[in-house]
Amino acid sequence: MATLYAAFAICVAITCFTNDVVLDLIRHYVGLGPHWPSETARRLPYAAADRYDGYLLGSLKGAGFFAALLTFAFLLRSAAVAIMPAMRSRRLWIDLLIGLAIASIFLFEVVPTGMGRIYGYNSVEPFLQQQGFFHRRILMPALAHMLHLDGVLYGLFHWIVALLTLALASIYLETRGLRLSRLELASLYTTGMFATAIALPGHGEILVFALTFVALLDSDRERPDSMVQPACFALALLAHETAAVLAFGTLALTGRDRRAWLHFASLLAVYVAIWLASYGFDFGRAARTQLTGETSNLDRFLQNVPLALFSLGAAYKLTLVAAIAAVAGFVCAEQLRPALLICVALGGGFALTAVATDYTRMAAFGGFAILIALPPVLTHLSARSRAWLACANLLIPTVYVAAMHGAVAYHGLYGLVLTNWFGIAG
């Protein structure tokens, strides 16, 4: 346990205390002057003097981050060993790839777009970032950099992580007795978090979803001494803190093991304490950097509540109906924990639209709960009924909903139809 917390604290400190913050602290407390060490570096050869201070610190931080990641790899080794046999299934990958190919006809983007491009830029020099909106979401850029899949290759890294997430989702469903057909997989991939990963590649939350499925699969083994879920949460906080808090907070709140809630609260406290320390415990300044454009979206949300509600339906389409049916079934069967999990996850995703501007992405943060809802609903239906439902869900266009732009069409067949027939902007 101590090893986990030590490795996590090192990673968070490396992430939050950016080079400019570290150098300012050194200059202030050691009294080396406002231009140290660049002034000293001018006496060195030009190649060594160019950004000498930043690159030196970046190299040291990169080495420390890599060492801490090795600790997490050790803690997650049991989960990896347990999942690996299912990952070797040829049928799993064939079904997954065919389902993805069908879904890609309807919505698809090859290279990182939007904020995903910023992750790509950051992957080139992940430890030279300035304080801002993205510097704490370092795990995806750092892993891409360490694997030499940074810069223009960051899109390839995203697709590797996305395929891994799709595989973990299928494995999780099969442990619940549900094997989806290729058509059903294609239909599922046009909803929620999967649609975001396919149509808006590059964002960090895809890795959070992968870690969430690893934690869910490990919870089936019911080992009281397992550190897999806390380790997954710690890594998820380094990928996308908001998605991580929603996913693992929901698991901790609705789980049977009280230690999961203790680990969740403790890791989050460590994260917040180091984050605030990097801002000199100026909570106002720290909170502003957490918001899009450093301003709250609450006033705009209150004026656009119907649009935010529409974003929930736009994100999940018919799977939202399945989630409602699953909740009703769980309540009737007096299984309140899974019912509460689905409600908290989806409700939490909707609540995030009150503070962010990209409504569809925020709503999709609770999308892992859809996979918990599908087995009890679909296993009672005939193959023909399931095929018709998959077709209907596939034919409903997936759109991106944002506070400032309203409904926007994705690229692909959905975008072609919505743009040309309905005049929706692409």
Side-chain angles (χ1 to χ4, degrees):
M1 184 185 301
T3 304
L4 167 65
Y5 281 86
F8 177 63
I10 289 171
C11 287
V12 178
I14 287 172
T15 302
C16 290
F17 284 88
T18 55
N19 292 354
D20 52 335
V21 174
V22 173
L23 289 173
D24 285 344
L25 290 172
I26 293 174
R27 291 162 185 157
H28 178 73
Y29 289 105
V30 183
L32 292 173
H35 301 295
W36 182 90
S38 298
E39 194 171 64
T40 305
R42 290 197 188 99
R43 303 189 186 113
L44 300 172
Y46 177 78
D50 183 22
R51 299 184 68 186
Y52 163 80
D53 47 358
Y55 281 112
L56 176 61
L57 272 175
S59 298
L60 293 174
K61 291 168 71 175
F65 198 86
F66 178 72
L69 288 184
L70 291 179
T71 302
F72 282 105
F74 176 78
L75 293 172
L76 293 175
R77 69 193 187 283
S78 62
V81 169
I83 294 171
M84 197 56 65
M87 281 284 188
R88 295 196 187 103
S89 170
R90 183 179 179 184
R91 176 197 54 79
L92 168 75
W93 290 100
I94 292 175
D95 289 351
L96 182 159
L97 290 172
I98 292 176
L100 180 59
I102 297 172
S104 298
I105 297 171
F106 295 88
L107 73 167
F108 186 66
E109 186 70 54
V110 178
V111 297
T113 105
M115 290 188 294
R117 293 177 183 172
I118 299 177
Y119 285 96
Y121 298 150
N122 292 341
S123 69
V124 178
E125 296 175 339
F127 301 102
L128 297 186
Q129 297 182 56
Q130 304 294 311
Q131 276 188 319
F133 193 68
F134 289 93
H135 76 281
R136 286 174 292 110
R137 299 170 184 176
I138 199 173
L139 190 56
M140 284 278 282
L143 287 174
H145 182 74
M146 292 172 183
L147 295 172
H148 300 286
L149 293 173
D150 50 1
V152 295
L153 294 178
Y154 179 76
L156 174 60
F157 175 73
H158 164 85
W159 284 110
I160 292 173
V161 176
L163 288 173
L164 176 64
T165 306
L166 298 181
L168 289 169
S170 292
I171 292 170
Y172 174 77
L173 288 174
E174 292 194 11
T175 63
R176 294 298 188 273
L178 178 63
R179 177 183 171 185
L180 297 181
S181 68
R182 295 165 182 175
L183 178 62
E184 288 174 313
L185 287 173
S187 183
L188 179 64
Y189 294 162
T190 64
T191 64
M193 56 187 172
F194 302 120
T196 301
I198 295 171
L200 297 173
H203 291 78
E205 63 265 19
I206 186 63
L207 187 52
V208 175
F209 299 139
L211 292 165
T212 303
F213 292 135
V214 171
L216 285 169
L217 288 167
D218 182 75
S219 66
D220 291 343
R221 292 192 285 277
E222 295 184 351
R223 292 175 296 131
D225 59 338
S226 175
M227 295 298 293
V228 170
Q229 183 167 315
C232 287
F233 176 52
L235 287 173
L237 280 171
L238 298 171
H240 194 294
E241 72 292 335
T242 308
V245 169
L246 175 58
F248 287 89
T250 301
L251 295 181
L253 179 66
T254 59
R256 292 186 177 87
D257 189 354
R258 293 183 178 179
R259 283 172 300 183
W261 176 250
L262 178 62
H263 283 303
F264 170 80
S266 300
L267 287 168
L268 186 58
V270 170
Y271 183 89
V272 172
I274 296 175
W275 170 51
L276 290 177
S278 69
Y279 284 93
F281 294 100
D282 184 344
F283 179 79
R285 187 161 66 96
R288 284 194 300 272
T289 62
Q290 180 70 18
L291 300 172
T292 304
E294 298 191 358
T295 59
S296 173
N297 185 55
L298 184 58
D299 291 340
R300 186 183 288 113
F301 169 79
L302 293 176
Q303 298 170 2
N304 294 284
V305 171
L307 183 64
L309 286 170
F310 172 70
S311 71
L312 199 63
Y316 296 114
K317 301 193 293 187
L318 290 183
T319 61
L320 184 60
V321 178
I324 295 171
V327 169
F330 283 132
V331 171
C332 291
E334 297 184 351
Q335 298 178 20
L336 299 184
R337 288 185 185 275
L340 180 63
L341 187 154
I342 295 170
C343 292
V344 171
L346 298 182
F350 174 73
L352 289 175
T353 63
V355 295
T357 58
D358 43 353
Y359 289 168
T360 305
R361 273 189 62 238
M362 295 298 105
F365 281 0
F368 70 95
I370 293 296
L371 273 75
I372 296 171
L374 288 180
V377 174
L378 294 185
T379 51
H380 296 296
L381 300 178
S382 66
R384 177 175 293 182
S385 297
R386 286 170 51 175
W388 278 110
L389 285 173
C391 287
N393 189 68
L394 197 60
L395 292 175
I396 297 174
T398 304
V399 295
Y400 174 75
V401 181
M404 294 176 289
H405 307 292
V408 179
Y410 287 117
H411 290 171
L413 187 57
Y414 288 148
L416 196 64
V417 171
L418 292 174
T419 301
N420 293 311
W421 292 4
F422 297 95
I424 295 178

